[in-house]
Amino acid sequence: MPSSFPSTAMASSSSSTSENTRISDHLALATAPISGRVAVTACAAMAFFYVAILYSPTLILHLPPPASLESFMIRRFACAVVSSAVSVISCLFLLGLGRLDDFPTILGVLGIRCDHLWQAAVFPILLTSLIYAGSFVSKSWKLVSRWKDEGRENSFCSVGIYGRRCKDWVCAYARNVMAWRNYVVAPITEELVFRGCMIPLLLCGGFGTYSIVFLSPIFFSLAHLNHFLELYYQQKYSFMKAFLIVGLQLGYTVIFGWYTSFLFIRTGSLISPIVAHIFCNVMGLPVLSSPRTKGTATIAAAAGLVGFLYLLFPATNPDMYNQLRDGCRCWHRYCGWS
């Protein structure tokens, strides 16, 4: 994050001083310590390495196949951590921050910050939840219907039953290795690599803000092409079925990548895309219609989408997530994006 220099915006400050400050900020933003070609090449290499290392235990290290799903996923977790560490080191090296002694500044490049934590976590979740208005209506309808079917006379017993079910559900997920993959390892490592490492490189490579928002998710989507190989060769899906499944995934990841890239650049915090990623993984695809809700879910989904678009910029105003805009560097694009 930007260095917290003492504020010079006193009432007695001259207009020329303020103008010089704005000019210096724009110059800092315009500085590109690396070329655009190097930035794109580095991003492509990070995306390739993030996927390729998943297959290294058997193809390169010649380790025996894992005996269970748990051991298989734990092995992949370790590979994702190694890939993330390599990407972080590479990003900092290319930006010339390898020898910087200011550790908070180094972490701030990646969006890892200790300030404005609750804003970076709460506001993006509230904003993202608007997309799932139809899902909330559909799930609420199911809960009410189930409660009616079980009878109201045992309402107090039902509360206790639902409490135990919720506890059992949490315990089961805590022991589920796939839950750890979907809600912990994947969101953190993917956002760290594809947003925290790649976007600062592209910003400092001189690319425009909207070019990065709309084009950088290509790296994120291409990293999911390995799913086609797994479906086609390992799970023996037909070519067309595997193609349709992966095509849908790629389309979804591109749209999702637009949103998380937007969040990262606007807020300057890695927490925002991470919590949005976890929330979307928990909710799945948004429900746009449900026959049992008699059109209520569709109306809610449409209203939620309108609200999301209306609040997209106000809810991600950089002033809500950053205290100062002095001393901005090329990776602090939010300094010039109000």
Side-chain angles (χ1 to χ4, degrees), residues 160-181:
I161 292 173
Y162 287 135
R164 288 193 296 271
R165 287 178 180 175
C166 182
K167 180 181 177 181
D168 294 340
W169 180 83
V170 171
C171 293
Y173 264 80
R175 295 189 298 266
N176 190 335
V177 68
M178 295 304 296
W180 281 92
R181 171 193 177 275

Side-chain angles (χ1 to χ4, degrees), residues 126-188:
L126 294 177
L127 179 63
T128 308
S129 66
L130 293 175
I131 304 176
Y132 290 93
S135 301
F136 288 131
V137 169
S138 178
K139 291 180 184 296
S140 299
W141 199 283
K142 291 179 182 178
L143 288 175
V144 172
S145 300
R146 182 180 300 176
W147 178 71
K148 289 181 178 180
D149 293 339
E150 293 180 356
R152 301 182 182 181
E153 66 278 2
N154 297 322
S155 58
F156 291 104
C157 296
S158 298
V159 172
I161 292 173
Y162 287 135
R164 288 193 296 271
R165 287 178 180 175
C166 182
K167 180 181 177 181
D168 294 340
W169 180 83
V170 171
C171 293
Y173 264 80
R175 295 189 298 266
N176 190 335
V177 68
M178 295 304 296
W180 281 92
R181 171 193 177 275
N182 295 331
Y183 309 136
V184 180
V185 179
I188 293 177

